Amino acid sequence: MSELTFGNLGEFLLDLKQQLERIEKKLNEKKGNPNTFEQETPMSIKEAATFLNLKESTIYNLVSANEIPFHKPGKRLCFYPSELNDFIRQDKKGGSK
C-alpha cells in the first residue's frame, strides 16, 4: 500500500490485522517447538560431558578441534541439548535395518 489516507484506512487495517495474525501464528509455532534455543537452557561443559557420557577433557579436545557445536558468550563455553543431540546423530556409524 502506497499512501495511507482516510479513504483506504479500512483496507490498511485489514492488511495490518492479517500480517499480525501471520506473525502470531509463527510465534505460536515456535513456542510449540522444544528445540528452539529460546526454550533451551544452555549446558555447562560439565553438564555436556555428563550428557554425552564423556570426560570434560574430551569435550575440550572436541571444542579445540571444532568438532562439536558450542557457544562462547564471554569466557565460558556452553552447549545446547538439541545441538548435542544432532551431533550424536551425525556421528552415527553403520545402519539399522
Side-chain angles (χ1 to χ4, degrees):
M1 192 165 284
S2 56
E3 187 177 328
L4 178 60
T5 63
F6 188 74
N8 66 6
L9 184 59
E11 185 181 341
F12 175 81
L13 290 175
L14 180 61
D15 184 50
L16 184 60
K17 180 181 182 241
Q18 290 170 345
Q19 288 179 31
L20 288 173
E21 287 171 349
R22 283 193 299 269
I23 291 169
E24 183 178 31
K25 182 180 177 187
K26 286 184 180 186
L27 287 173
N28 286 334
E29 287 170 359
K30 197 168 189 174
K31 268 188 196 176
N33 183 354
N35 289 331
T36 57
F37 290 155
E38 294 83 14
Q39 294 178 344
E40 282 188 294
T41 303
M43 296 179 173
S44 67
I45 193 153
K46 184 175 185 174
E47 293 168 322
T50 301
F51 182 81
L52 295 171
N53 197 27
L54 297 171
K55 294 180 180 180
E56 286 181 48
S57 59
T58 304
I59 301 290
Y60 280 114
N61 289 336
L62 290 169
V63 166
S64 293
N66 210 22
E67 293 180 6
I68 191 170
F70 67 94
H71 300 267
K72 194 172 180 185
K75 295 182 179 183
R76 291 192 155 163
L77 290 171
C78 68
F79 307 84
Y80 285 99
S82 63
E83 291 181 329
L84 293 179
N85 280 324
D86 291 343
F87 168 75
I88 292 167
R89 285 185 197 101
Q90 80 170 4
D91 201 37
K92 181 179 174 186
K93 306 284 190 240
S96 59
K97 295 181 181 181

